[in-house]
Amino acid sequence: MPEIKWEKEMDAALARAMAEKKPILLDFFNAH
Amino acid sequence: MGAVTYPDAKVAELVNNRMIPIQLMANVEPYAKDFNIKWTPSIITLDENGTEHNRVVGFLPPEEFIPAMMLGIAKVSFDLDRFDEALAELEKIIAEYPKSKATPEAIYLRGVTGFKSTKDPKPLKAAYEKLHAEYPDSEWTPRALPYRLIS
């Protein structure tokens, strides 16, 4: 089963987005 | 989202291949304040500089989440004047997800993108005609109403 490989830090996501030339999916969630 | 949509294989494939996914708790600052988060899930599409281009609030099942994210990708391209990329993404949404709630907006945006990239108004009229014929109840159909007058 494939899983989404979530980043946890914004700086890491932005660095990857810049390097890989991809948009960011930012999901704000509420822990239950 | 975590129980139904994110475990879906097609969702994971799209997100992992086409986007950089990041999850943050809704109370993590400064981001919660920066993005004015009032409810979850709030799913935002950003460009590589961190600028917002699309936002979805509330649950979406996989069959709606995929075209909604594709529309977010298209909006990033459109807003950054990457019209060829935007058109390619919009064509895929329209062809592959004709029943999606995202598709009428994709048709509208395809018309706008076609006009902005060529200065030819025919794509605007084509957008109105498709919306009027196939999506008469969509909120995007009246938005395109003025384009019916294009000759």
Side-chain angles (χ1 to χ4, degrees):
Chain A
M1 178 78 76
E3 291 184 359
I4 296 176
K5 299 165 186 163
W6 297 101
E7 295 288 345
K8 302 297 181 189
E9 300 290 338
M10 183 64 84
D11 287 346
L14 286 166
R16 277 191 60 203
M18 191 69 74
E20 299 177 32
K21 301 187 186 307
K22 293 178 181 176
I24 293 170
L25 185 162
L26 171 56
D27 174 28
F28 284 98
F29 70 102
N30 202 6
H32 297 287
Chain B
M1 297 297 290
V4 175
T5 300
Y6 291 147
D8 181 88
K10 289 183 178 176
V11 168
E13 180 183 11
L14 173 83
V15 171
N16 286 330
N17 291 342
R18 305 286 312 283
M19 308 181 84
I20 306 297
I22 174 172
Q23 274 189 318
L24 297 175
M25 292 273 291
N27 60 356
V28 172
E29 300 296 353
Y31 305 110
K33 184 176 181 182
D34 287 349
F35 288 99
N36 194 30
I37 300 303
K38 302 298 184 188
W39 192 243
T40 62
S42 287
I43 302 158
I44 303 172
T45 308
L46 313 175
D47 64 27
E48 58 263 39
N49 294 309
T51 301
E52 178 175 344
H53 295 269
N54 192 51
R55 179 177 294 218
V56 173
V57 177
F59 171 79
L60 289 178
E63 65 273 19
E64 286 293 340
F65 182 84
I66 291 171
M69 293 304 102
M70 293 169 72
L71 185 59
I73 293 169
K75 287 182 176 180
V76 171
S77 297
F78 174 82
D79 288 346
L80 298 177
D81 294 339
R82 301 171 182 164
F83 296 134
D84 288 347
E85 292 178 17
L87 282 170
E89 198 70 31
L90 294 165
E91 294 289 359
K92 278 197 290 186
I93 297 169
I94 295 162
E96 296 174 14
Y97 299 92
K99 295 181 179 176
S100 167
K101 291 179 175 59
T103 300
E105 185 175 356
I107 292 167
Y108 184 95
L109 189 56
R110 180 178 65 175
V112 174
T113 307
F115 171 68
K116 287 179 71 76
S117 62
T118 64
K119 307 304 179 195
D120 181 348
K122 289 188 184 72
L124 293 171
K125 186 166 187 177
Y128 167 74
E129 289 175 342
K130 187 172 180 67
L131 287 165
H132 180 69
E134 300 178 25
Y135 304 90
D137 297 328
S138 168
E139 66 176 295
W140 290 94
T141 302
R143 296 193 200 196
L145 192 61
Y147 309 147
R148 77 191 188 284
L149 301 174
I150 294 170
S151 57

